[in-house]
Amino acid sequence: MSTVPGSGIVRGMALTFRRFFEPKATVRYPEVRPEIAPRNRGRLQLLHDENGHLKCETCFQCAQACPIECIDMGGVDTRGRYNVHWGPAETYGERREEAALRRSGRPVPDAAFASFAEVDLGPVSAVLVAHDHDPAHMLGILEETQAAYGYLPVAALRHISFATGAWYAMVYGTASYYRQFRLAPPADGDPALAAADRRPSEASFLSALDAALGMGPRPAPGNARTGDAAGPRA
Amino acid sequence: MTMAAVTWQRLRPVGRLLAVLVPILLALGLVSVGAIILAGPLAAGFVGDNVPLVRFVAAVTAVILLSIPTAFIVIFLELKVIARMNLRIGPERVGPYGGAMSVVHGLKVLAKEDFTPLGVDVTVFTMAPIVTFVGAIMTMLVIPFAPGLFGLDLNIGLLYLFAMSGLTVVGLLMAGWSSFNKYSLLGGLRSAAQMVSYEIPLTLSLVGIVLLAGTMSLNQLVLGQSGSFLDWNIWKQPLAFLIFFIAGTAEANRTPFDLTEADSELVGGFATEYSGMRFGFFFFAEYVNVFIVSALLVTFFLGGWTAPIAWPFAVTMPSLDPLGLGVGLLLGIAALPVVGTLILAAPFWLSSKITTLQALVIGFILFNVVAVGLVIGYAFVSFDWVVGLFWFFAKAYAFVFLFIWMRATLPRVRIDQLMGFAWKWLLPAALLNIFVTAAAITIVSK
């Protein structure tokens, strides 16, 4: 194809000419807003008040409340996580000590940290041993952990992260992505998720299958807990 | 406070402007009326005695004036076309469809500091962009834009053309030499080497056409190609067309031969030390050059202003004598804009969402569009030169588009490839073209 001299030029010119008529990639920003993923929280930024002072009071609550510990404060490199800098380290060193104390397990009287409560790590350790501490089995580990506790306690997730070597952010990301996982204990009378509700596309697929086979409505799976992914399908 | 001061204070800005402008305009009008009365016959006699001189001055003025919108249009096309080919939108905020972008660029360059570095030869440094610019636009003097619409019908038009485009090289060398900077000098020499090398095949490729047409006047060359598109020189001299196109690309410093100011590789070549409008003139000249090369391609090979297909049927417009129509009809014609506006506004007025004023504005704009369209259509069928201008600019801007298209596609050549191509391929091909043409003419005439 490239044996004819000049054929490359002709093909290149044809390509740019086609591009001339194709839809453009530019987003006219102020009028057109790009679609942002629902989980995107944007860039971490400290705000100033009308007098130009920082609104941040160095309370470290954001770093404490961040479920996947992606917020950290100060100028110290923290394993590639996002840092929020606003000044030299000595200006907030005291608060930093305090936050480190909290993270080390000091009980914090705040509802936001209830899920950080200690749990018995025996069941999750057994699950991890059964899976040989392999982070590639994360889905199975999480499902069996939830079967053991009824939900996924934060302490168990941290232990999984510690034992398998996977980043806590990845463990939490996996746990919060799939719908069969819950991060808080189920309320009384809260029905377990039906198998068809676990993944959104599965429901439509199953109903289409039922319609094609002429079957009636599917019986609700009785008391199935959400850890039976390996079990037989209804 | 005097009466005048109080009055001045009460005036709004518009009123103040008028209060200043109206007396000045009145005074200027009186002076010019007096000048015409006193010196009018003398001036008319001078113009009558020196028609060639007046025509030359008028043509040079027209050419300089034409170069401004031409450069702006070419720059705008370049921004827009390359953007679209890069899957971008390009300028669209300044002016309609981004149309004023290049004008704003020009204003920006004008507003910049015109800096003269220490140690430069100020006279030469200042003259260099002017020489380049003048060398570029003076070639437009001999280009026939339409039947009868050319600056000068030189019988050695072709020689004049190459002499003038040779001035561009002088300008670049002057810029490089006077900058007091060895890199500028090297850039100038590099540009001069490229331009001089490509001028040879550029000139030789046209010898075949001169042999065929037996004239060097550009007007005669175009007249010789009149008829249908089958009479164009491109069919008789395809090799010459190719050589002229490639060499012209190099002469206009366009991609893939834009080593003169290779934006992404050099600091700036000969223009390193230039800033402000002196720098602007170099690029003004460059963009006008793109149009000029396109115009020359059209003139030499694509029949200039001649239509590709002759208009199949003759149209004779009824000649209107406004004075012979009577006062009533004249009044009717005068009322036409009002009536047309009202008629065109009526359908919008009936729509419930549009107010009366908006409907009137829309109707007025629509009437203007229709009226201008009718006038242009009338001019198109009535005047040869309108048709000629249309075809000339249509063909020339098609080539401008092609040059921009090439810039959006092709990578830049290396300097050794550039020189090797000119001397090893284009020059022998041009000589071969001359030889074959001369041999064919000899055989046919025998």
Side-chain angles (χ1 to χ4, degrees):
Chain A
M1 208 167 166
S2 60
T3 50
V4 183
S7 66
I9 292 178
V10 172
R11 272 185 291 146
M13 299 281 277
L15 179 75
T16 39
F17 198 64
R18 276 202 305 279
R19 291 278 183 274
F20 189 82
F21 297 104
E22 278 176 12
K24 302 295 169 253
T26 310
V27 178
R28 295 172 165 88
Y29 170 64
E31 294 91 21
V32 182
R33 303 291 173 122
E35 281 191 19
I36 294 172
R39 287 165 66 110
N40 181 37
R41 291 294 174 268
R43 190 164 65 100
L44 299 178
Q45 194 176 15
L46 293 175
L47 302 177
H48 296 258
D49 64 6
E50 62 272 16
N51 297 321
H53 301 303
L54 269 178
K55 283 184 171 178
C56 175
E57 292 183 327
T58 338
C59 70
F60 278 88
Q61 283 197 24
C62 57
Q64 283 290 313
C66 179
I68 57 174
E69 294 183 2
C70 78
I71 300 179
D72 191 22
M73 295 180 133
V76 185
D77 181 26
T78 48
R79 283 205 304 169
R81 281 178 278 167
Y82 291 101
N83 288 306
V84 181
H85 300 271
W86 70 91
E90 51 270 24
T91 59
Y92 49 88
E94 199 176 314
R95 296 292 187 104
R96 189 172 168 72
E97 291 294 317
E98 184 187 327
L101 265 178
R102 283 190 186 182
R103 284 201 188 158
S104 68
R106 198 182 85 178
V108 181
D110 192 327
F113 303 113
S115 58
F116 284 75
E118 295 293 329
V119 296
D120 176 23
L121 294 177
V124 68
S125 296
V127 168
L128 283 165
V129 167
H131 282 279
D132 201 17
H133 299 285
D134 187 356
H137 295 172
M138 189 56 68
L139 206 54
I141 293 173
L142 289 175
E143 282 177 342
E144 287 171 29
T145 308
Q146 172 152 313
Y149 289 99
Y151 70 109
L152 288 175
V154 169
L157 290 182
R158 299 176 85 128
H159 186 68
I160 292 170
S161 164
F162 176 75
T164 60
W167 281 17
Y168 181 74
M170 301 170 85
V171 178
Y172 182 84
T174 314
S176 60
Y177 181 74
Y178 290 97
R179 293 187 61 187
Q180 71 259 38
F181 295 127
R182 66 177 93 228
L183 295 164
D188 287 341
D190 184 14
L193 280 174
D197 286 343
R198 289 178 195 159
R199 296 171 190 84
S201 60
E202 203 173 276
S204 60
F205 172 74
L206 287 176
S207 62
L209 194 65
D210 292 347
L213 295 175
M215 290 168 66
R218 196 171 282 268
N223 199 16
R225 300 296 297 188
T226 53
D228 64 347
R233 295 270 157 182
Chain B
M1 215 185 260
T2 62
M3 191 71 187
V6 172
T7 318
W8 178 257
Q9 289 233 321
R10 285 188 181 175
L11 283 177
R12 288 186 198 164
V14 180
R16 292 183 184 180
L17 200 70
L18 285 178
V20 174
L21 278 186
V22 168
I24 292 177
L25 285 179
L26 272 178
L28 277 180
L30 281 177
V31 167
S32 56
V33 166
I36 287 170
I37 290 170
L38 288 177
L42 209 66
F46 178 79
V47 169
D49 293 342
N50 298 287
V51 170
L53 185 66
V54 173
R55 186 186 171 104
F56 178 75
V57 171
V60 171
T61 313
V63 159
I64 291 176
L65 287 182
L66 178 68
S67 73
I68 296 167
T70 303
F72 283 154
I73 291 171
V74 174
I75 292 172
F76 169 67
L77 278 179
E78 176 141 312
L79 293 172
K80 205 73 188 174
V81 170
I82 290 185
R84 290 190 66 89
M85 285 177 174
N86 291 352
L87 294 185
R88 293 181 286 120
I89 293 176
E92 61 158 11
R93 303 281 156 152
V94 192
Y97 198 61
M101 191 70 192
S102 43
V103 181
V104 174
H105 265 309
L107 286 178
K108 178 198 75 178
V109 171
L110 261 179
K112 280 189 166 185
E113 185 189 0
D114 191 4
F115 187 72
T116 308
L118 203 67
V120 304
D121 186 339
V122 179
T123 320
V124 183
F125 190 72
T126 311
M127 287 296 287
I130 301 174
V131 169
T132 311
F133 180 68
V134 168
I137 63 167
M138 281 302 115
T139 50
M140 278 210 268
L141 265 187
V142 290
I143 296 175
F145 289 94
L149 203 68
F150 43 81
L152 291 166
D153 188 10
L154 284 179
N155 56 357
I156 51 158
L158 223 74
L159 277 182
Y160 170 85
L161 207 72
F162 288 117
M164 276 297 160
S165 61
L167 265 186
T168 313
V169 185
V170 179
L172 299 188
L173 274 179
M174 282 165 72
W177 172 253
S178 65
S179 289
F180 197 58
N181 176 343
K182 49 184 174 277
Y183 301 110
S184 288
L185 178 59
L186 281 175
L189 289 177
R190 175 181 159 116
S191 312
Q194 171 185 341
M195 304 279 268
V196 170
S197 301
Y198 276 88
E199 224 158 65
I200 296 167
L202 187 79
T203 315
L204 287 181
S205 66
L206 291 183
V207 173
I209 284 184
V210 173
L211 287 177
L212 280 176
T215 174
M216 288 173 100
S217 152
L218 271 68
N219 197 34
Q220 296 299 320
L221 278 173
V222 172
L223 286 174
Q225 300 178 65
S226 55
S228 77
F229 66 94
L230 292 174
D231 296 315
W232 290 352
N233 275 336
I234 185 174
W235 310 120
K236 299 173 192 161
Q237 297 272 316
L239 185 59
F241 172 74
L242 206 63
I243 296 168
F244 190 89
F245 180 74
I246 295 170
T249 315
E251 281 290 300
N253 294 325
R254 298 293 299 179
T255 318
F257 306 112
D258 61 341
L259 286 106
T260 302
E261 51 93 20
D263 334 40
S264 45
E265 291 161 27
L266 302 180
V267 173
F270 61 89
T272 308
E273 301 293 347
Y274 279 86
S275 58
M277 202 54 210
R278 276 186 280 201
F279 178 79
F281 262 114
F282 277 122
F283 284 85
F284 217 68
E286 185 181 316
Y287 284 105
V288 175
N289 248 332
V290 175
F291 174 77
I292 289 172
V293 169
S294 310
L296 292 180
L297 270 165
V298 167
T299 307
F300 292 133
F301 294 99
L302 292 173
W305 40 260
T306 58
I309 299 164
W311 192 246
F313 43 88
V315 183
T316 48
M317 295 299 287
S319 61
L320 287 175
D321 183 10
L323 293 178
L325 290 174
V327 178
L329 206 53
L330 271 183
L331 280 179
I333 290 173
L336 191 63
V338 180
V339 177
T341 302
L342 289 178
I343 289 174
L344 287 170
F348 295 97
W349 183 66
L350 291 176
S351 162
S352 60
K353 285 187 179 176
I354 297 174
T355 63
T356 311
L357 189 65
Q358 284 171 338
L360 278 177
V361 170
I362 292 172
F364 184 68
I365 294 170
L366 276 181
F367 172 76
N368 275 297
V369 169
V370 171
V372 169
L374 284 176
V375 167
I376 290 177
Y378 175 76
F380 193 82
V381 297
S382 313
F383 301 111
D384 273 350
W385 60 270
V386 175
V387 187
L389 269 186
F390 171 77
W391 283 115
F392 182 82
F393 279 109
K395 292 175 192 171
Y397 274 102
F399 272 103
V400 170
F401 180 82
L402 181 60
F403 281 125
I404 296 170
W405 181 9
M406 277 164 56
R407 177 159 184 179
T409 310
L410 300 178
R412 191 174 295 129
V413 297
R414 277 199 324 262
I415 185 93
D416 59 315
Q417 293 170 332
L418 176 93
M419 301 306 259
F421 188 63
W423 292 101
K424 291 185 200 160
W425 293 96
L426 285 188
L427 182 61
L431 290 173
L432 177 76
N433 184 54
I434 296 175
F435 175 74
V436 170
T437 312
I441 289 174
T442 315
I443 291 167
V444 169
S445 59
K446 275 191 182 168

